[in-house]
Amino acid sequence: MTETSVTEPTNLHPFSVPYRAVSQLGQVGFVVFLSFYGSTDIGDRFSFVLLGLAAVAVALTVVLAWQFLYYRRFEYEVTDDTFDIRSGVVSRRNRQIPLRRVQNVDVTENVVHRLLGIAQVNIETAGGSQSEASLRYVGNDRARRIQQEVRRRKSELTGDQTKAPTEDTEEERGEVLYEVSNRELLLLSTFSIDARLVAFAFFLISFLPPESLPVDTLPSRLAVVPLVVLAVAVVLVLWIIGFATTFSRYYGFVLRRVDDTLGYERGLFNRYSGSIPLDKIQTFTFDENVLKRYFGYATLGVETAGYSPTQARQQGSETAIPLAKRERVLGLADEIDGVGEPEFELPPKRARRRYAIRYTLLLGVLSAVLYAASVYVTPFRWYLPLVVLPLVPAAAHLKWRNRGYHLGDGYVATRNGFWNRTTVVLPYYRVQNVIESATVLQRRWRIATVTLDTASSSGLRNDEARAVDIDAEDAERVTQEVRDRLQGSLAERRAERRHSGGTWLDSAARESPEAGQDAQET
């Protein structure tokens, strides 16, 4: 078939017809299987088989005809200022997506896609909660050309003098900022067991009836052995699942910088290719669990104001570096947006005493509940939670030691968590709201929490930059200082945009309405 330009009206790839048809027929086959499985009479089963085969043949004919018509009537085209799509078998739908609003063009390929030489292209726009358009499916080479052409046309429309090239050579694909090594990939996969899944698994196991374990058949001194073996098996299975999932997800991960965009590729079975616009990055997040910190590694993630459908992940969250030495991660963050290493100010020591008292009370309440259950329900070793009582001071100290905040020249940083420590770095000009809060108990200890919201923050995910349990007077000072530095940062960026002939106020108002209004008032 003759290759046509992406700037001319073009159909999908011909292989999209059988692939989409087979995908739809899978649902029909599942229904037929359930019908066959539910039959108990051999004669009925034979009738169901014949009926099922006839249904599949009819469905195959209908689906193939429908998908062929869909293929023939689906056209897409990249114009000077829009991405046009015309589709619909019965009712026609014409869409014109302004290239100025396009935030990302993602390409997805699974194993079958790569065998057929096709790929799925998702068009994302700023502020969208889902993909604005999806091309299922085009040739994989054409998918790359669509990415490049959209980026080039958008650069022209926004006045960027650096045009993205149309030829996909290794040199022109951008500067390689990070490429995961085999050692880093293996370490990342090894570190990827989720303690929350382990805890949930043990919670489910607690509901198993005692007779399901051969405890009664063993001597009393060996009764605990099956429980230990079961615990080890659960942890091992969950670790294997986490290892395999992480290995396949980040296999071949490459991060490049193309103009003002970070481009990434990753995946073993499902291959993803997408981009992270630098001007859409809201925060930088450094994740370091206990194992990563022990070996000196960290993960860098970025939060954006948009949506990316290429991962089963939280909206707006993207991994920039899956795993690398902490110094290397900090260096890349500094290269991207001038983010240096924060020097954190810890909460007051009375917060540490508060944690110790809280943990002690929790252990006491748990022991009391178990004691009541032991008296009124069944005998139980109610005193077991008190065994960890000597560890309370250490736990309180570690929680206190891994919290803090830092007010830098161009950004504010917060840190929280011991088992999985998260450091959030937020440029002042990205701050959308500053919230100072204190619970009843916090007020008794004269401490408070300062929360910094951005356009990508979500209270359900609890991913904001939060200075937790800091001195109440410091909380007021931090709140006022962040607001003052926000105004100064917005004024500086407005002056820079005016000098370069840009229209920053419009973009600021779109990305952060409150920040844009503040900038106009400054």
Side-chain angles (χ1 to χ4, degrees), residues 466-486:
R466 296 182 301 126
V468 182
D469 290 343
I470 65 177
D471 185 85
E473 295 182 358
D474 288 344
E476 294 181 2
R477 176 181 59 83
V478 169
T479 300
Q480 187 58 45
E481 191 165 347
V482 169
R483 287 173 176 169
D484 293 341
R485 296 194 182 192
L486 167 63

PDB file of all heavy atoms in Angstrom, residues 466-486:
ATOM      1  N   ARG A 466       3.074  18.981  51.704  1.00  0.00           N
ATOM      2  CA  ARG A 466       2.522  19.258  53.031  1.00  0.00           C
ATOM      3  C   ARG A 466       3.640  19.340  54.062  1.00  0.00           C
ATOM      4  O   ARG A 466       4.412  18.399  54.222  1.00  0.00           O
ATOM      5  CB  ARG A 466       1.512  18.184  53.442  1.00  0.00           C
ATOM      6  CG  ARG A 466       0.275  18.110  52.566  1.00  0.00           C
ATOM      7  CD  ARG A 466      -0.691  17.055  53.069  1.00  0.00           C
ATOM      8  NE  ARG A 466      -0.068  15.740  53.107  1.00  0.00           N
ATOM      9  CZ  ARG A 466      -0.034  14.972  54.194  1.00  0.00           C
ATOM     10  NH1 ARG A 466      -0.582  15.390  55.328  1.00  0.00           N
ATOM     11  NH2 ARG A 466       0.542  13.791  54.161  1.00  0.00           N
ATOM     12  N   ALA A 467       3.708  20.476  54.731  1.00  0.00           N
ATOM     13  CA  ALA A 467       4.602  20.634  55.869  1.00  0.00           C
ATOM     14  C   ALA A 467       3.794  20.268  57.108  1.00  0.00           C
ATOM     15  O   ALA A 467       2.969  21.049  57.579  1.00  0.00           O
ATOM     16  CB  ALA A 467       5.126  22.058  55.954  1.00  0.00           C
ATOM     17  N   VAL A 468       4.026  19.063  57.644  1.00  0.00           N
ATOM     18  CA  VAL A 468       3.168  18.486  58.679  1.00  0.00           C
ATOM     19  C   VAL A 468       3.779  18.695  60.064  1.00  0.00           C
ATOM     20  O   VAL A 468       4.984  18.505  60.268  1.00  0.00           O
ATOM     21  CB  VAL A 468       2.950  16.978  58.418  1.00  0.00           C
ATOM     22  CG1 VAL A 468       2.021  16.378  59.470  1.00  0.00           C
ATOM     23  CG2 VAL A 468       2.379  16.756  57.024  1.00  0.00           C
ATOM     24  N   ASP A 469       2.936  19.077  60.999  1.00  0.00           N
ATOM     25  CA  ASP A 469       3.295  19.183  62.421  1.00  0.00           C
ATOM     26  C   ASP A 469       4.445  20.147  62.666  1.00  0.00           C
ATOM     27  O   ASP A 469       5.332  19.879  63.497  1.00  0.00           O
ATOM     28  CB  ASP A 469       3.631  17.798  62.991  1.00  0.00           C
ATOM     29  CG  ASP A 469       2.410  16.915  63.115  1.00  0.00           C
ATOM     30  OD1 ASP A 469       1.283  17.447  63.080  1.00  0.00           O
ATOM     31  OD2 ASP A 469       2.574  15.685  63.226  1.00  0.00           O
ATOM     32  N   ILE A 470       4.464  21.263  61.964  1.00  0.00           N
ATOM     33  CA  ILE A 470       5.485  22.268  62.226  1.00  0.00           C
ATOM     34  C   ILE A 470       4.970  23.242  63.286  1.00  0.00           C
ATOM     35  O   ILE A 470       3.766  23.272  63.596  1.00  0.00           O
ATOM     36  CB  ILE A 470       5.882  23.027  60.942  1.00  0.00           C
ATOM     37  CG1 ILE A 470       4.690  23.842  60.398  1.00  0.00           C
ATOM     38  CG2 ILE A 470       6.382  22.059  59.893  1.00  0.00           C
ATOM     39  CD1 ILE A 470       5.040  24.659  59.170  1.00  0.00           C
ATOM     40  N   ASP A 471       5.856  24.011  63.876  1.00  0.00           N
ATOM     41  CA  ASP A 471       5.468  24.961  64.901  1.00  0.00           C
ATOM     42  C   ASP A 471       4.390  25.909  64.372  1.00  0.00           C
ATOM     43  O   ASP A 471       4.421  26.331  63.205  1.00  0.00           O
ATOM     44  CB  ASP A 471       6.695  25.754  65.358  1.00  0.00           C
ATOM     45  CG  ASP A 471       6.369  26.674  66.517  1.00  0.00           C
ATOM     46  OD1 ASP A 471       6.409  26.220  67.664  1.00  0.00           O
ATOM     47  OD2 ASP A 471       6.068  27.853  66.243  1.00  0.00           O
ATOM     48  N   ALA A 472       3.399  26.234  65.226  1.00  0.00           N
ATOM     49  CA  ALA A 472       2.273  27.049  64.782  1.00  0.00           C
ATOM     50  C   ALA A 472       2.734  28.409  64.274  1.00  0.00           C
ATOM     51  O   ALA A 472       2.224  28.907  63.260  1.00  0.00           O
ATOM     52  CB  ALA A 472       1.270  27.214  65.927  1.00  0.00           C
ATOM     53  N   GLU A 473       3.703  29.025  64.946  1.00  0.00           N
ATOM     54  CA  GLU A 473       4.209  30.314  64.485  1.00  0.00           C
ATOM     55  C   GLU A 473       4.963  30.164  63.164  1.00  0.00           C
ATOM     56  O   GLU A 473       4.852  31.008  62.275  1.00  0.00           O
ATOM     57  CB  GLU A 473       5.103  30.938  65.547  1.00  0.00           C
ATOM     58  CG  GLU A 473       4.372  31.311  66.835  1.00  0.00           C
ATOM     59  CD  GLU A 473       5.303  31.964  67.835  1.00  0.00           C
ATOM     60  OE1 GLU A 473       6.517  32.093  67.531  1.00  0.00           O
ATOM     61  OE2 GLU A 473       4.820  32.358  68.923  1.00  0.00           O
ATOM     62  N   ASP A 474       5.716  29.062  63.026  1.00  0.00           N
ATOM     63  CA  ASP A 474       6.406  28.802  61.761  1.00  0.00           C
ATOM     64  C   ASP A 474       5.401  28.574  60.633  1.00  0.00           C
ATOM     65  O   ASP A 474       5.653  28.948  59.478  1.00  0.00           O
ATOM     66  CB  ASP A 474       7.322  27.588  61.894  1.00  0.00           C
ATOM     67  CG  ASP A 474       8.554  27.887  62.736  1.00  0.00           C
ATOM     68  OD1 ASP A 474       8.845  29.078  62.942  1.00  0.00           O
ATOM     69  OD2 ASP A 474       9.212  26.934  63.189  1.00  0.00           O
ATOM     70  N   ALA A 475       4.265  27.936  60.952  1.00  0.00           N
ATOM     71  CA  ALA A 475       3.247  27.690  59.928  1.00  0.00           C
ATOM     72  C   ALA A 475       2.718  29.009  59.376  1.00  0.00           C
ATOM     73  O   ALA A 475       2.527  29.157  58.156  1.00  0.00           O
ATOM     74  CB  ALA A 475       2.112  26.854  60.508  1.00  0.00           C
ATOM     75  N   GLU A 476       2.469  29.979  60.253  1.00  0.00           N
ATOM     76  CA  GLU A 476       2.013  31.289  59.780  1.00  0.00           C
ATOM     77  C   GLU A 476       3.084  31.960  58.928  1.00  0.00           C
ATOM     78  O   GLU A 476       2.779  32.567  57.888  1.00  0.00           O
ATOM     79  CB  GLU A 476       1.659  32.171  60.981  1.00  0.00           C
ATOM     80  CG  GLU A 476       0.467  31.673  61.781  1.00  0.00           C
ATOM     81  CD  GLU A 476       0.151  32.589  62.944  1.00  0.00           C
ATOM     82  OE1 GLU A 476       0.851  33.621  63.093  1.00  0.00           O
ATOM     83  OE2 GLU A 476      -0.782  32.282  63.712  1.00  0.00           O
ATOM     84  N   ARG A 477       4.341  31.848  59.370  1.00  0.00           N
ATOM     85  CA  ARG A 477       5.434  32.460  58.611  1.00  0.00           C
ATOM     86  C   ARG A 477       5.588  31.797  57.249  1.00  0.00           C
ATOM     87  O   ARG A 477       5.750  32.483  56.232  1.00  0.00           O
ATOM     88  CB  ARG A 477       6.738  32.340  59.401  1.00  0.00           C
ATOM     89  CG  ARG A 477       7.965  32.875  58.656  1.00  0.00           C
ATOM     90  CD  ARG A 477       9.209  32.693  59.499  1.00  0.00           C
ATOM     91  NE  ARG A 477       9.440  31.295  59.817  1.00  0.00           N
ATOM     92  CZ  ARG A 477      10.055  30.446  58.991  1.00  0.00           C
ATOM     93  NH1 ARG A 477      10.459  30.849  57.797  1.00  0.00           N
ATOM     94  NH2 ARG A 477      10.249  29.185  59.358  1.00  0.00           N
ATOM     95  N   VAL A 478       5.544  30.455  57.206  1.00  0.00           N
ATOM     96  CA  VAL A 478       5.688  29.736  55.934  1.00  0.00           C
ATOM     97  C   VAL A 478       4.547  30.096  54.988  1.00  0.00           C
ATOM     98  O   VAL A 478       4.757  30.326  53.792  1.00  0.00           O
ATOM     99  CB  VAL A 478       5.725  28.215  56.187  1.00  0.00           C
ATOM    100  CG1 VAL A 478       5.594  27.453  54.874  1.00  0.00           C
ATOM    101  CG2 VAL A 478       7.007  27.824  56.902  1.00  0.00           C
ATOM    102  N   THR A 479       3.322  30.158  55.505  1.00  0.00           N
ATOM    103  CA  THR A 479       2.168  30.503  54.670  1.00  0.00           C
ATOM    104  C   THR A 479       2.342  31.873  54.023  1.00  0.00           C
ATOM    105  O   THR A 479       2.144  32.039  52.811  1.00  0.00           O
ATOM    106  CB  THR A 479       0.884  30.473  55.512  1.00  0.00           C
ATOM    107  OG1 THR A 479       0.704  29.164  56.059  1.00  0.00           O
ATOM    108  CG2 THR A 479      -0.323  30.844  54.667  1.00  0.00           C
ATOM    109  N   GLN A 480       2.719  32.857  54.827  1.00  0.00           N
ATOM    110  CA  GLN A 480       2.879  34.208  54.299  1.00  0.00           C
ATOM    111  C   GLN A 480       4.058  34.296  53.349  1.00  0.00           C
ATOM    112  O   GLN A 480       3.993  34.946  52.294  1.00  0.00           O
ATOM    113  CB  GLN A 480       3.054  35.202  55.449  1.00  0.00           C
ATOM    114  CG  GLN A 480       3.047  36.654  54.998  1.00  0.00           C
ATOM    115  CD  GLN A 480       1.770  37.035  54.271  1.00  0.00           C
ATOM    116  OE1 GLN A 480       0.653  36.691  54.713  1.00  0.00           O
ATOM    117  NE2 GLN A 480       1.897  37.724  53.150  1.00  0.00           N
ATOM    118  N   GLU A 481       5.163  33.601  53.678  1.00  0.00           N
ATOM    119  CA  GLU A 481       6.355  33.682  52.830  1.00  0.00           C
ATOM    120  C   GLU A 481       6.118  33.013  51.485  1.00  0.00           C
ATOM    121  O   GLU A 481       6.565  33.523  50.447  1.00  0.00           O
ATOM    122  CB  GLU A 481       7.546  33.039  53.542  1.00  0.00           C
ATOM    123  CG  GLU A 481       8.868  33.310  52.853  1.00  0.00           C
ATOM    124  CD  GLU A 481      10.057  32.994  53.740  1.00  0.00           C
ATOM    125  OE1 GLU A 481       9.865  32.810  54.953  1.00  0.00           O
ATOM    126  OE2 GLU A 481      11.174  32.934  53.198  1.00  0.00           O
ATOM    127  N   VAL A 482       5.418  31.889  51.465  1.00  0.00           N
ATOM    128  CA  VAL A 482       5.122  31.222  50.195  1.00  0.00           C
ATOM    129  C   VAL A 482       4.241  32.119  49.334  1.00  0.00           C
ATOM    130  O   VAL A 482       4.455  32.244  48.115  1.00  0.00           O
ATOM    131  CB  VAL A 482       4.448  29.862  50.442  1.00  0.00           C
ATOM    132  CG1 VAL A 482       3.904  29.289  49.132  1.00  0.00           C
ATOM    133  CG2 VAL A 482       5.435  28.877  51.053  1.00  0.00           C
ATOM    134  N   ARG A 483       3.258  32.774  49.944  1.00  0.00           N
ATOM    135  CA  ARG A 483       2.393  33.667  49.174  1.00  0.00           C
ATOM    136  C   ARG A 483       3.184  34.844  48.616  1.00  0.00           C
ATOM    137  O   ARG A 483       2.997  35.240  47.462  1.00  0.00           O
ATOM    138  CB  ARG A 483       1.249  34.154  50.061  1.00  0.00           C
ATOM    139  CG  ARG A 483       0.200  33.082  50.339  1.00  0.00           C
ATOM    140  CD  ARG A 483      -0.827  33.551  51.350  1.00  0.00           C
ATOM    141  NE  ARG A 483      -1.883  32.546  51.539  1.00  0.00           N
ATOM    142  CZ  ARG A 483      -2.786  32.590  52.506  1.00  0.00           C
ATOM    143  NH1 ARG A 483      -2.760  33.596  53.374  1.00  0.00           N
ATOM    144  NH2 ARG A 483      -3.696  31.638  52.604  1.00  0.00           N
ATOM    145  N   ASP A 484       4.081  35.401  49.422  1.00  0.00           N
ATOM    146  CA  ASP A 484       4.893  36.522  48.940  1.00  0.00           C
ATOM    147  C   ASP A 484       5.813  36.084  47.807  1.00  0.00           C
ATOM    148  O   ASP A 484       5.952  36.788  46.793  1.00  0.00           O
ATOM    149  CB  ASP A 484       5.724  37.108  50.090  1.00  0.00           C
ATOM    150  CG  ASP A 484       4.858  37.783  51.144  1.00  0.00           C
ATOM    151  OD1 ASP A 484       3.697  38.102  50.823  1.00  0.00           O
ATOM    152  OD2 ASP A 484       5.329  37.968  52.284  1.00  0.00           O
ATOM    153  N   ARG A 485       6.449  34.925  47.973  1.00  0.00           N
ATOM    154  CA  ARG A 485       7.361  34.453  46.927  1.00  0.00           C
ATOM    155  C   ARG A 485       6.600  34.044  45.678  1.00  0.00           C
ATOM    156  O   ARG A 485       7.133  34.119  44.571  1.00  0.00           O
ATOM    157  CB  ARG A 485       8.203  33.289  47.452  1.00  0.00           C
ATOM    158  CG  ARG A 485       9.118  33.685  48.597  1.00  0.00           C
ATOM    159  CD  ARG A 485      10.157  32.632  48.862  1.00  0.00           C
ATOM    160  NE  ARG A 485      11.011  32.995  49.988  1.00  0.00           N
ATOM    161  CZ  ARG A 485      12.141  32.366  50.302  1.00  0.00           C
ATOM    162  NH1 ARG A 485      12.549  31.336  49.584  1.00  0.00           N
ATOM    163  NH2 ARG A 485      12.853  32.750  51.347  1.00  0.00           N
ATOM    164  N   LEU A 486       5.369  33.590  45.831  1.00  0.00           N
ATOM    165  CA  LEU A 486       4.528  33.300  44.665  1.00  0.00           C
ATOM    166  C   LEU A 486       4.329  34.558  43.842  1.00  0.00           C
ATOM    167  O   LEU A 486       4.484  34.544  42.615  1.00  0.00           O
ATOM    168  CB  LEU A 486       3.192  32.727  45.122  1.00  0.00           C
ATOM    169  CG  LEU A 486       2.077  32.660  44.063  1.00  0.00           C
ATOM    170  CD1 LEU A 486       2.478  31.741  42.919  1.00  0.00           C
ATOM    171  CD2 LEU A 486       0.762  32.208  44.693  1.00  0.00           C
TER     172      LEU A 486
END
